[in-house]
C-alpha cells in the first residue's frame, strides 16, 4: 500500500503511451504463463473481491444463490403476466354481481340461482387475446417488459457463471469447503487471500496485498458515497412546506447518483478503478461542471420520461409484496428499519456490508426502545377510545357470525371485520405500556454505543421531540419507507434537474481534491485512507496531529472512529505512522482516565441492575458490560439503597469506558505477528481457528474442536464489537468535554473558495494544478433492507471486463 505521507497528485496520464500506470513500473512482477487455474493475474480484482465478500456474507450454497436469481426472473414474469390477466381477462361486472349470469346445463336450485362461480368471471382465451391485441398501450408495455426480462436473463446467466467461479475459488484456491464456510470469519478468509497473493499473485502490480487494499477494492465507490454524505454534498435534504426539512434518499435516487458518478457511460470514472484524467486537473473545472450539469439534466429528463412506467411497476410490486403481510400483520407497517440515508450516515469508511449489518442489527432494539419512549398523551387517549369503539363493534359482528354463519353472506360484512381488526391493531401501537420505565438519555447512549455516530446537539436533549424527529430520519417506519419508494419515480427527476445540477461544480472539485492514486489499487477516495494528518479533526482527539483545514476534515469524527473500527476489526493490519501515533495517543489517554474511573469489578457487579435500567432482559456478556458503563454515571449520582456515596465518587461514562478498555488491554497477552484478542483468544497463522492459550486436551475430537473454535470465534467477534462500542462512547464523551471547554470555537464549514487561505501550504504545494475551490458551497453539518447491494454486484459483473494491465486494475 502506498505510504500515507506521500500522497501525490495526479500526473498527466494521457502523456504515457504504455499500459502501466505512471510511477508503477517497478511494481510489475514476473507472471509465469504455465498456470492451470484461472485466478492468476485476475483482470477485474474489484469485482472479484466483491463477489468473494458477497459469498462469505450470505454463506449460501451454490444452489440457493442460483434459485434466488431464477425466482427473481419468475417474480417479474409473474407480476407482468398476472397484471395483464387482471386488466384484460376478468369480467368485473360478473364478479361483483352487477350483471346476471345465464348458467347452462342443469336447472339451478332456489339456493344457487344467483350464485357466481370464479370461471363465470373469467373471459375465454380467444376473447382475452382479442382484448390484449386491441390495446396498443398493453402491447407496448409487454414489449418493454420482454426486453427488460431478456436483459435480466442475460445477467442471471452471467451471475450464475460468476457464482460457480467463486465457489471453485473457495474450494481449490482458499481450501475452504462450502459446508465449512459458515465457520470462517471474514478476517480468516481475508488472511488466506493475502497469503495466496504471496504464493500465486492475483494482483501483478503489487507484490503484497494488505487488508486495506482489499477493502479499498471492494468499497471503492461506497467510500466516495459515504464521504459525500458526510460532507453534505449530495442533495438529500428537502424543505417541504408546512413540514420543514426532510431527508429523502431512496433506492432509485441512489441508483441515479451512482449511474452519474461511478459506472454510467457518462460518469466521472473511465473504468472501475480510475477517475478520468480530465477530472484530475483544475484548469478546466468550469467546463467540466457545465458538462456534468448537462449530463445530470439529460438523466433527469429520462427519469421524467420513464416516470409513469416506473411508478406503475413500483405500485404493482409493492402491492404484491406487502398486501398479504399488511392483512396478516397490520402492525408490521409500524415496525422500524434503518433508512438508506441512515445506513450511509452511520457507515464507517472501509466498513463491509456484513459488518455494517451486524452493527445496525445490534443497535436495532435500543433504537426501537428509544423511539417507543416518546408517546403522545393525546394520541394515547384517542387510541384507547377508538380501540374501545372498534372492538365493541367487532365483538358484536364476531358473536353474530358464531351464532349464524349466514351473517358472512351479508354484503361488506367481511370488509367491515377486516377494517375493524386493522384499526384495533394500529391504535394499540399508540397505547404505551404502563409498567415500563424509560430513561431516554441512557437509551440514546446505548444506541450510540452501537451506531457510533450522533450529532453533538443530541447530547443532553434525548427527551426533546426535535431529537426524536432527527433520529426518525435515520430509523424510519416501514410505512414511510414504502411511501418514499412509491414517490421516488416522481420526486427523483426533480432532485436531479434542480438541486443536484446546482452542485455540479462542487462535485467536480470534490472528486479532484479528495481522490488519490494508490499503487496497485487505483484511484480511491482519500477519506478512505483514514489519514489523521490529512483528514483528522482536532476536536476528536487528533489535535496536534492533523494539518487539515475545515474543508478537509471529516465531520463527526468519522476519520478517527473509522480508523479505530478498522483497526479493531482487522487486528493484523499494520497502520501507517500517523495512524499509529493517534492510536498510541488514544491508548495513553485511556490509561490516564482509567485511573480516575470505577473499578471494572464494580461495573460487573452493577450489570444486573444496569440491564434492568435499560430494559435489556436478553443481554449477553458484552451487552451487560456496555450496560454497566452506560448506566454507572446514573447509579453513582443517585441515592441507590445500600450505596455509600462517601466512598463511591461520581464518574462519567468516559471514565467508566476507559476503565473497562484499560482492563481489556491489560488482559490481552501479546502474540507474535499480530495483536492479541481479549480474554486470551488468539488467531493462529496456520489455522483459521481461534484457540485458547491454555492447552487443550489431546483426546478432544475433531467435532469438539470445531465447536470450540466456533465458540471462540463468536466470542472474539462479540468482544471486538463491544470494544469498538466502548471506544465510540469514550471518544464521544471526550469530544463533548473538549467542546464544552472551548464553546467559542466554531465547527461550521468554511466556503471552499477560502480553503487556500486555511489549508496547510505543504499539502497545497504537492498538487500539480493547485487546489481550486468552487465559488460557493458549504460542505459540512451533521447530515449522512438491510439490502446487501446484490444488485450493485450484479451490475458491475454485467459490464465488459477491461484488461487489468491497462490501468492499475490488479
Amino acid at each position: 500500500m502506498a505510504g500515507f505521507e506521500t500522497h501525490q497528485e495526479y500526473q498527466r496520464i494521457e502523456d504515457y503511451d504504455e499500459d502501466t500506470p505512471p510511477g508503477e513500473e517497478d511494481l510489475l512482477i514476473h507472471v509465469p504463463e504455465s498456470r492451470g487455474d484461472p485466478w492468476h493475474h485476475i483482470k477485474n480484482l474489484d469485482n472479484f473481491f466483491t463477489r468473494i465478500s458477497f459469498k462469505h456474507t450470505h454463506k449460501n450454497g451454490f444452489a440457493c444463490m442460483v434459485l434466488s436469481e431464477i425466482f427473481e426472473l419468475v417474480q417479474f414474469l409473474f407480476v407482468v403476466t398476472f397484471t395483464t390477466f387482471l386488466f384484460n381477462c376478468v369480467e368485473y361486472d360478473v364478479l361483483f354481481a352487477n350483471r346476471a349470469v345465464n348458467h347452462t346445463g342443469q336447472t339451478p336450485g332456489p339456493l344457487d340461482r344467483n350464485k357466481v362461480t370464479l370461471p363465470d368471471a373469467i373471459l375465454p382465451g380467444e376473447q382475452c387475446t382479442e382484448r390484449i391485441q386491441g390495446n396498443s398501450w398493453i402491447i407496448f408495455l409487454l414489449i418493454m417488459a420482454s426486453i427488460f426480462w431478456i436483459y435480466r436473463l442475460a445477467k442471471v446467466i452471467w451471475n450464475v457463471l460468476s457464482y460457480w467461479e467463486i465457489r471453485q475459488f473457495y474450494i481449490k484456491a482458499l481450501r475452504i469447503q462450502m459446508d465449512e464456510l459458515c465457520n470462517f470469519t471474514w478476517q480468516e478468509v481475508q488472511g488466506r487471500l493475502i497469503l495466496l497473493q504471496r504464493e500465486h499473485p492475483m494482483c501483478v502490480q503489487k507484490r503484497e496485498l494488505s487488508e486495506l487494499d482489499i477493502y479499498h477494492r471492494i468499497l471503492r465507490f461506497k467510500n466516495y458515497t459515504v464521504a459525500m454524505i458526510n460532507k453534505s454534498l449530495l442533495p438529500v435534504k428537502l424543505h417541504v412546506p408546512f413540514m420543514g426539512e426532510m431527508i429523502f434518499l431512496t433506492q432509485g435516487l441512489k441508483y441515479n447518483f451512482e449511474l452519474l458518478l461511478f459506472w454510467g457511460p457518462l460518469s466521472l470514472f473511465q473504468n472501475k478503478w480510475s477517475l478520468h484524467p480530465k477530472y484530475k486537473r483544475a484548469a478546466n473545472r468550469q467546463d467540466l461542471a457545465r458538462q456534468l450539469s448537462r449530463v445530470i439534466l439529460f438523466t433527469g429528463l429520462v427519469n421524467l420520461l420513464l416516470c409513469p412506467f416506473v411508478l406503475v411497476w413500483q405500485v404493482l410490486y409493492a402491492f404484491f409484496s406487502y398486501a398479504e403481510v399488511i392483512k396478516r400483520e397490520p402492525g408490521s407497517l409500524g415496525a422500524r428499519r434503518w433508512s438508506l440515508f441512515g445506513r450511509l450516515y452511520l457507515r464507517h469508511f472501509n466498513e463491509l456490508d456484513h459488518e455494517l449489518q451486524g452493527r445496525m442489527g445490534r443497535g436495532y432494539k435500543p433504537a426501537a426502545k428509544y423511539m417507543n419512549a416518546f408517546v403522545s398523551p393525546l394520541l394515547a387517549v384517542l387510541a384507547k377510545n377508538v380501540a374501545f369503539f372498534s372492538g365493541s363493534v367487532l365483538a358484536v359482528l364476531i358473536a353474530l357470525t358464531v351464532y349464524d354463519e349466514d351473517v358472512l353472506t351479508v354484503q361488506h360484512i367481511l370488509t367491515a371485520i377486516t377494517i375493524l381488526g386493522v384499526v384495533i391493531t394500529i391504535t394499540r401501537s399508540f397505547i404505551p405500556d404502563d409498567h415500563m420505565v424509560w430513561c431516554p438519555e441512557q437509551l440514546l447512549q446505548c444506541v450510540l454505543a452501537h451506531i457510533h455516530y450522533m450529532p453533538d446537539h443530541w447530547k443532553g436533549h434525548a427527551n426533546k421531540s426535535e431529537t426524536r424527529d432527527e433520529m426518525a430520519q435515520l430509523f424510519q417506519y416501514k410505512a414511510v419507507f414504502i411511501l418514499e419508494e412509491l414517490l421516488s419515480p416522481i420526486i427523483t427527476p426533480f432532485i436531479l434537474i434542480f438541486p443536484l445540477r446546482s452542485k455540479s461544480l462542487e462535485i467536480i472539485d470534490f472528486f479532484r481534491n479528495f481522490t488519490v492514486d494508490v499503487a496497485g489499487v487505483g484511484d480511491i477516495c482519500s477519506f478512505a485512507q483514514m489519514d489523521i494528518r490529512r483528514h483528522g479533526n482536532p476536536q476528536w482527539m487528533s489535535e496536534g496531529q492533523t494539518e487539515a483545514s475545515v474543508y478537509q476534515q471529516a465531520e463527526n469524527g468519522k476519520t478517527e472512529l473509522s480508523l479505530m473500527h478498522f483497526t479493531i476489526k482487522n487486528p493484523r493490519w499494520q497502520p501507517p505512522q500517523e495512524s499509529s501515533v493517534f492510536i498510541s495517543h488514544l491508548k495513553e489517554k485511556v490509561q490516564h482516565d482509567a485511573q480516575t474511573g470505577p473499578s471494572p469489578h464494580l461495573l460487573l457487579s452493577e450489570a444486573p441492575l444496569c440491564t434492568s435500567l435499560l430494559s435489556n432482559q436478553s443481554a449477553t456478556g458484552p451487552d451487560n458490560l456496555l450496560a454497566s458503563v452506560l448506566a454507572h454515571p446514573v447509579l453513582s449520582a443517585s441515592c441507590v439503597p445500600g450505596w455509600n456515596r462517601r466512598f463511591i465518587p461520581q464518574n462519567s461514562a468516559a471514565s467508566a469506558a476507559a476503565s473497562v478498555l484499560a482492563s481489556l488491554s491489560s488482559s490481552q497477552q501479546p502474540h507474535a505477528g499480530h495483536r492479541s484478542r481479549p480474554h486470551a483468544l488468539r488467531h493462529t497463522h496456520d489455522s483459521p481457528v481461534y484457540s485458547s492459550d491454555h492447552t487443550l486436551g489431546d483426546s478432544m475430537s475433531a467435532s469438539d474442536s470445531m465447536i470450540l473454535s466456533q465458540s471462540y470465534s463468536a466470542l472474539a467477534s462479540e468482544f471486538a464489537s463491544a470494544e469498538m462500542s466502548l471506544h465510540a462512547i469514550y471518544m464521544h464523551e471526550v469530544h463533548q468535554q473538549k467542546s464544552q471547554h472551548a464553546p467559542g470555537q466554531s465547527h461550521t464549514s468554511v466556503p471552499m473558495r477560502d480553503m487556500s487561505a486555511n489549508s496547510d501550504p505543504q499539502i497545497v504545494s504537492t498538487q500539480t494544478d493547485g487546489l481550486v475551490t468552487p465559488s460557493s458551497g458549504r460542505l459540512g453539518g451533521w447530515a449522512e433492507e438491510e439490502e446487501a447491494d446484490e444488485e450493485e454486484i450484479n451490475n458491475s459483473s454485467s459490464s465488459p471486463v477491461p484488461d487489468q494491465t491497462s490501468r492499475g486494475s490488479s
Side-chain angles (χ1 to χ4, degrees):
M1 186 183 67
F4 282 106
E5 69 279 1
T6 57
H7 295 326
Q8 297 181 356
E9 286 302 315
Y10 291 96
Q11 304 177 23
R12 300 186 185 279
I13 301 178
E14 69 272 13
D15 294 339
Y16 290 82
D17 296 329
E18 57 269 22
D19 292 334
T20 304
E24 298 184 14
E25 295 84 353
D26 57 338
L27 295 177
L28 290 178
I29 62 178
H30 174 65
V31 181
E33 298 181 356
S34 58
R35 288 283 299 170
D37 59 70
W39 306 298
H40 195 258
H41 189 183
I42 297 174
K43 295 181 178 180
N44 192 341
L45 271 179
D46 285 27
N47 182 56
F48 189 74
F49 285 158
T50 301
R51 289 193 174 275
I52 291 176
S53 174
F54 178 79
K55 175 67 176 177
H56 175 267
T57 301
H58 290 77
K59 301 181 188 297
N60 295 330
F62 177 74
C64 294
M65 302 177 79
V66 172
L67 283 178
S68 299
E69 293 282 350
I70 293 176
F71 276 117
E72 283 190 10
L73 287 175
V74 174
Q75 282 187 7
F76 180 82
L77 193 63
F78 171 80
V79 170
V80 173
T81 305
F82 191 51
T83 304
T84 305
F85 170 81
L86 291 177
F87 276 97
N88 296 276
C89 302
V90 177
E91 192 69 40
Y92 289 98
D93 288 338
V94 176
L95 186 64
F96 298 146
N98 295 329
R99 192 177 69 193
V101 180
N102 295 325
H103 291 277
T104 58
Q106 298 181 352
T107 304
L111 296 179
D112 60 349
R113 180 174 303 148
N114 296 325
K115 184 176 181 180
V116 178
T117 61
L118 190 59
D120 294 334
I122 298 178
L123 297 176
E126 297 79 7
Q127 189 174 354
C128 180
T129 304
E130 290 178 0
R131 280 194 174 187
I132 296 175
Q133 293 177 349
N135 192 329
S136 57
W137 275 106
I138 293 294
I139 294 178
F140 173 75
L141 292 176
L142 289 178
I143 292 175
M144 296 295 295
S146 301
I147 295 174
F148 180 77
W149 190 85
I150 293 174
Y151 165 74
R152 287 290 304 167
L153 177 62
K155 290 186 62 175
V156 166
I157 295 175
W158 177 266
N159 290 336
V160 169
L161 296 177
S162 300
Y163 292 151
W164 180 259
E165 179 187 8
I166 296 301
R167 179 182 183 275
Q168 296 300 106
F169 178 80
Y170 266 98
I171 296 175
K172 296 182 179 180
L174 299 183
R175 307 293 182 184
I176 300 176
Q177 300 299 322
M178 289 298 97
D179 55 348
E180 299 177 357
L181 181 58
C182 58
N183 302 325
F184 286 79
T185 64
W186 168 249
Q187 281 67 33
E188 293 165 347
V189 174
Q190 186 174 244
R192 297 198 175 195
L193 280 174
I194 295 174
L195 183 61
L196 182 65
Q197 165 67 17
R198 298 170 184 168
E199 298 176 353
H200 307 290
M202 298 171 288
C203 173
V204 299
Q205 291 181 339
K206 197 169 188 181
R207 294 185 179 91
E208 293 281 343
L209 281 179
S210 68
E211 292 84 353
L212 193 58
D213 291 336
I214 296 176
Y215 275 70
H216 280 165
R217 287 188 173 276
I218 297 175
L219 302 170
R220 189 188 304 271
F221 296 150
K222 289 183 181 178
N223 282 328
Y224 273 107
T225 306
V226 171
M228 287 188 287
I229 290 293
N230 180 258
K231 301 299 289 184
S232 301
L233 182 59
L234 295 179
V236 296
K237 289 185 177 180
L238 302 179
H239 294 275
V240 181
F242 308 107
M243 299 183 66
E245 188 177 77
M246 297 185 64
I247 300 294
F248 185 85
L249 181 61
T250 61
Q251 293 291 345
L253 183 58
K254 177 173 174 284
Y255 178 88
N256 278 276
F257 286 157
E258 295 173 350
L259 178 71
L260 287 166
L261 302 177
F262 301 128
W263 51 266
L266 301 176
S267 66
L268 278 62
F269 279 75
Q270 63 180 357
N271 49 44
K272 297 294 183 182
W273 54 84
S274 178
L275 189 69
H276 199 283
K278 63 183 180 180
Y279 295 104
K280 301 172 184 178
R281 298 184 298 272
N284 55 348
R285 52 190 289 269
Q286 295 287 349
D287 295 335
L288 293 175
R290 285 189 289 269
Q291 177 183 339
L292 178 61
S293 177
R294 289 192 295 268
V295 173
I296 295 175
L297 176 60
F298 173 76
T299 305
L301 294 177
V302 171
N303 276 266
L304 194 61
L305 181 64
L306 297 177
C307 173
F309 310 107
V310 179
L311 180 62
V312 170
W313 167 256
Q314 292 278 65
V315 172
L316 292 176
Y317 189 81
F319 175 79
F320 290 131
S321 299
Y322 298 108
E324 190 274 334
V325 176
I326 294 174
K327 177 183 179 299
R328 177 168 38 89
E329 299 178 10
S332 61
L333 290 179
R336 290 187 177 269
R337 68 187 300 276
W338 295 105
S339 66
L340 183 58
F341 169 79
R343 295 171 68 85
L344 291 174
Y345 172 73
L346 300 174
R347 188 168 194 156
H348 293 295
F349 295 123
N350 301 308
E351 185 174 21
L352 295 177
D353 290 336
H354 72 273
E355 295 171 347
L356 175 66
Q357 183 62 31
R359 190 160 59 87
M360 296 295 99
R362 285 186 289 270
Y364 183 89
K365 286 185 178 180
K369 290 175 182 176
Y370 171 75
M371 297 301 291
N372 292 335
F374 292 84
V375 179
S376 172
L378 179 61
L379 284 179
V381 172
L382 293 175
K384 288 180 180 179
N385 285 275
V386 172
F388 171 78
F389 295 125
S390 302
S392 301
V393 177
L394 181 62
V396 172
L397 294 179
I398 293 177
L400 293 175
T401 303
V402 172
Y403 177 76
D404 189 351
E405 63 182 11
D406 289 340
V407 175
L408 294 174
T409 61
V410 177
Q411 193 175 22
H412 302 313
I413 194 66
L414 283 177
T415 303
I417 293 176
T418 302
I419 293 177
L420 289 172
V422 171
V423 169
I424 293 173
T425 302
I426 294 176
T427 53
R428 282 178 179 173
S429 63
F430 294 98
I431 302 176
D433 187 354
D434 297 332
H435 305 287
M436 192 67 67
V437 179
W438 302 100
C439 302
E441 284 292 343
Q442 280 64 46
L443 282 174
L444 190 58
Q445 281 288 92
C446 190
V447 175
L448 172 64
H450 296 291
I451 67 176
H452 301 169
Y453 294 98
M454 185 178 75
D456 293 341
H457 61 269
W458 286 11
K459 181 69 175 179
H461 299 89
N463 58 337
K464 298 292 186 64
S465 59
E466 293 82 2
T467 303
R468 180 196 180 278
D469 294 339
E470 291 181 359
M471 180 65 183
Q473 295 175 346
L474 308 178
F475 196 56
Q476 63 182 179
Y477 283 117
K478 193 169 186 178
V480 176
F481 161 74
I482 296 175
L483 180 62
E484 287 183 350
E485 292 295 332
L486 291 177
L487 295 177
S488 179
I490 302 175
I491 300 177
T492 294
F494 296 98
I495 293 180
L496 297 177
I497 295 174
F498 298 106
L500 186 61
R501 285 182 62 210
S502 63
K503 289 181 173 288
S504 298
L505 185 59
E506 297 179 32
I507 293 174
I508 294 297
D509 288 328
F510 178 89
F511 276 88
R512 185 187 65 260
N513 294 334
F514 298 121
T515 297
V516 294
D517 188 359
V518 176
V521 177
D523 292 339
I524 64 169
C525 181
S526 60
F527 286 101
Q529 290 187 300
M530 303 172 293
D531 187 356
I532 298 297
R533 180 178 63 85
R534 184 171 182 179
H535 297 301
N537 192 325
Q539 294 295 319
W540 286 87
M541 304 181 65
S542 61
E543 187 175 11
Q545 305 174 44
T546 179
E547 303 170 351
S549 65
V550 177
Y551 169 60
Q552 292 174 309
Q553 296 170 4
E555 307 295 334
N556 301 314
K558 189 172 283 286
T559 301
E560 292 79 5
L561 287 167
S562 297
L563 175 61
M564 292 307 303
H565 178 267
F566 189 84
T567 304
I568 293 174
K569 285 293 183 180
N570 298 272
R572 294 187 181 184
W573 178 61
Q574 298 298 327
Q577 181 179 358
E578 290 81 1
S579 300
S580 298
V581 171
F582 172 80
I583 295 172
S584 300
H585 171 72
L586 177 61
K587 289 182 178 180
E588 292 175 0
K589 184 166 178 56
V590 166
Q591 294 291 340
H592 178 269
D593 292 347
Q595 297 177 1
T596 60
S599 168
H601 299 287
L602 175 62
L603 292 173
L604 290 175
S605 66
E606 296 172 352
L609 181 60
C610 296
T611 53
S612 176
L613 182 64
L614 295 178
S615 304
N616 192 9
Q617 294 84 0
S618 58
T620 60
D623 292 334
N624 289 334
L625 196 62
L626 283 175
S628 301
V629 171
L630 294 172
H632 177 78
V634 178
L635 297 180
S636 63
S638 61
C639 298
V640 180
W643 282 47
N644 191 337
R645 297 182 61 191
R646 294 178 299 173
F647 303 103
I648 302 178
Q650 295 187 18
N651 302 111
S652 66
S655 60
S659 178
V660 177
L661 287 172
S663 177
L664 288 176
S665 177
S666 62
S667 67
Q668 293 176 354
Q669 301 297 326
H671 294 277
H674 56 85
R675 299 180 187 86
S676 58
R677 293 183 178 268
H679 296 265
L681 292 176
R682 59 186 176 87
H683 182 282
T684 62
H685 282 281
D686 300 331
S687 173
V689 174
Y690 288 94
S691 59
S692 173
D693 287 340
H694 302 285
T695 304
L696 299 176
D698 296 334
S699 60
M700 183 176 294
S701 64
S703 60
D704 292 338
S705 299
M706 181 61 68
I707 294 175
L708 184 62
S709 68
Q710 294 178 29
S711 302
Y712 279 142
S713 297
L715 185 62
S717 177
E718 288 296 324
F719 272 95
S721 299
E723 183 181 359
M724 181 59 212
S725 298
L726 292 171
H727 275 99
I729 296 170
Y730 176 77
M731 294 174 70
H732 272 272
E733 289 290 328
V734 173
H735 167 68
Q736 289 289 339
Q737 295 172 7
K738 192 175 184 64
S739 300
Q740 292 173 3
H741 292 162
Q745 189 168 357
S746 175
H747 299 283
T748 58
S749 301
V750 298
M752 297 172 64
R753 62 174 176 269
D754 297 330
M755 181 183 170
S756 58
N758 297 308
S759 59
D760 184 76
Q762 181 180 357
I763 299 177
V764 177
S765 63
T766 61
Q767 300 181 0
T768 304
D769 297 288
L771 186 58
V772 180
T773 57
S775 57
S776 64
R778 293 176 58 252
L779 299 185
W782 75 268
E784 60 168 32
E785 152 174 277
E786 292 113 6
E787 295 85 357
D789 288 349
E790 179 180 357
E791 186 67 24
E792 177 181 335
I793 297 172
N794 296 336
N795 287 337
S796 63
S797 65
S798 61
S799 59
V801 179
D803 184 73
Q804 150 191 340
T805 58
S806 62
R807 180 66 183 92
S809 62
S810 301

